[in-house]
Amino acid sequence: MSKIYRAIGLMSGTSMDGIDLGLIESDGQKTIKPQNFYYKSYNDAFKKRLKNIIYNKPSLFEIKSVENELTILHGEIVNEFLEKNKISASEIDLIGFHGHTIYHNPEQLITWQIGNSCLLEKMTNIRVISNFRTKDVANGGQGAPLVPIYHFNLLEKDNKPRAVLNIGGISNITFFENNNVNSIEAFDICFGNAPIDDLVKNKLNLDFDKDGKLAKSGKIDEELSRKILSNKIFQKKPPKSFDRNDFKEILEPVTKLKLEDALATLCHIHAMAIKINLDLLNKYPEEILVCGGGRKNISILENMQKNMPDISIKSIDDIGLNGDSIECDAFAYLAIRKLLN
């Protein structure tokens, strides 16, 4: 029997809301048992500093200072989680540390995730594995998405053509027919929550549109949607990955609309972009399971179902999994796989 490892995965996503922590037990192959999930939000002051090094022209000192601050927050959440759950650090085999992406340009062989793995290892006294995206790009990959093999091995094998859609700051998709690892197709599709959250933050100083209620009350600007969707970025063929800034200029006209209408229009564009990208797959999925924060936005899911009526679209929670923990759990899983070479 293969050794079962206990691993913690840490994820700080493009939404910049906070840190997701997942604890799993796995052999790095077919055996995967999610154990626990923990989340801690960033305070506004740190979010501001993090955004500054992404959107402005920071000094190297500012970048490294924020990197250490980010790492200390990760170390604190690990130690807090272990203490709350009465788990000793010696009971954890390793940590998969994603860090936080501040720049992504795989065409130039660049993807930059800040995070001081040496400091995290010192703080937690647990072995840390990191630089997942850098390693993937160095090996000819896009650096994103990295979790398809986790999606494939996590879900029940029923031969159904199925897709997992992760809606974080960026939306990405994994398609596969269960039992066939060679059927896996995966790529970033388009923006996810990032422009929606940014708009709500700028207009109302809220972190997100709770349950998509504001978007649901708005009116879609169909003409503007068609114009934006004609941009070649939405038709780009895989392999492909995106940075949250890739859509900022393209979506700028939407921000001029009334807030509710702007949010409704963004949810519609997102749904239509997914529909366009399904045509790039070898086969249409019968079912799309949605994970990440965007699955909680009713307007996003309703727009998807309305525009793709022949596909069953539901939250991954509906099959008994925690849609918040999928990505951090995946990095725990990838850390085990790296350990096993």
Side-chain angles (χ1 to χ4, degrees), residues 46-326:
F46 178 72
K47 282 184 196 175
K48 189 175 180 180
R49 290 191 288 278
L50 184 57
K51 286 181 178 179
N52 175 61
I53 66 168
I54 295 172
Y55 293 122
N56 298 319
K57 294 180 179 178
S59 67
L60 289 175
F61 175 76
E62 287 173 316
I63 295 171
K64 295 304 288 185
S65 295
V66 171
E67 178 177 57
N68 278 353
E69 189 175 359
L70 176 109
T71 305
I72 289 166
L73 291 171
H74 277 71
E76 288 173 349
I77 191 177
V78 170
N79 292 335
E80 191 175 296
F81 167 78
L82 294 177
E83 186 177 345
K84 279 180 179 286
N85 290 280
K86 296 181 170 55
I87 300 170
S88 166
S90 62
E91 296 175 64
I92 305 298
D93 293 292
L94 68 166
I95 292 171
F97 180 33
H98 174 267
H100 192 96
T101 301
I102 63 169
Y103 185 75
H104 185 70
N105 187 344
E107 283 71 28
Q108 299 297 318
L109 299 180
I110 301 169
T111 184
W112 188 358
Q113 287 71 46
I114 58 168
N116 185 337
S117 57
C118 296
L119 177 57
L120 182 62
E121 200 164 277
K122 178 68 176 174
M123 286 186 69
T124 60
N125 201 29
I126 300 169
R127 180 175 181 176
V128 174
I129 291 178
S130 60
N131 292 324
F132 296 95
R133 299 195 189 280
T134 305
K135 288 169 186 170
D136 187 62
V137 169
N139 282 286
Q142 286 279 311
L146 287 185
V147 299
I149 192 66
Y150 181 71
H151 291 155
F152 178 80
N153 285 325
L154 177 68
L155 295 167
E156 295 175 1
K157 308 296 180 280
D158 59 7
N159 290 314
K160 182 187 295 182
R162 172 186 262 175
V164 179
L165 178 72
N166 177 60
I167 308 177
I170 296 291
S171 287
N172 58 64
I173 196 164
T174 302
F175 169 84
F176 51 87
E177 292 180 79
N178 286 334
N179 298 326
N180 181 9
V181 72
N182 294 318
S183 71
I184 297 176
E185 298 179 75
F187 47 87
D188 282 356
I189 288 182
C190 66
F191 66 89
N193 300 320
I196 296 170
D197 294 347
D198 288 349
L199 197 55
V200 173
K201 186 69 176 178
N202 291 337
K203 300 286 187 181
L204 301 176
N205 199 30
L206 297 173
D207 288 331
F208 52 88
D209 176 13
K210 186 170 173 57
D211 300 326
K213 288 178 182 176
L214 288 171
K216 199 164 165 49
S217 69
K219 183 180 178 183
I220 296 165
D221 189 322
E222 300 275 0
E223 185 178 345
L224 181 57
S225 297
R226 282 191 293 272
K227 185 177 179 182
I228 288 172
L229 286 161
S230 68
N231 190 292
K232 62 183 180 181
I233 197 170
F234 294 104
Q235 282 82 25
K236 186 177 180 182
K237 293 182 179 179
K240 58 180 177 175
S241 60
F242 297 117
D243 182 79
R244 61 181 285 136
N245 291 332
D246 290 335
F247 295 90
K248 193 172 184 183
E249 189 175 326
I250 297 164
L251 297 174
E252 182 65 26
V254 180
T255 66
K256 311 297 183 193
L257 301 174
K258 189 176 85 172
L259 177 61
E260 290 82 355
D261 296 347
L263 295 171
T265 301
L266 286 172
C267 291
H268 174 69
I269 292 170
H270 179 266
M272 295 307 294
I274 292 165
K275 186 177 181 181
I276 289 167
N277 276 262
L278 291 184
D279 289 332
L280 302 177
L281 298 170
N282 289 322
K283 185 184 286 189
Y284 262 64
E286 293 178 15
E287 176 181 76
I288 296 177
L289 298 172
V290 186
C291 58
R295 79 192 192 286
K296 299 175 183 177
N297 186 315
I298 298 165
S299 185
I300 285 179
L301 294 188
E302 287 185 353
N303 265 282
M304 286 172 59
Q305 193 65 79
K306 177 184 173 184
N307 289 287
M308 292 169 274
D310 296 331
I311 299 173
S312 171
I313 296 168
K314 56 189 178 185
S315 168
I316 204 164
D317 302 75
D318 294 341
I319 63 167
L321 294 170
N322 182 348
D324 287 324
S325 72
I326 297 294

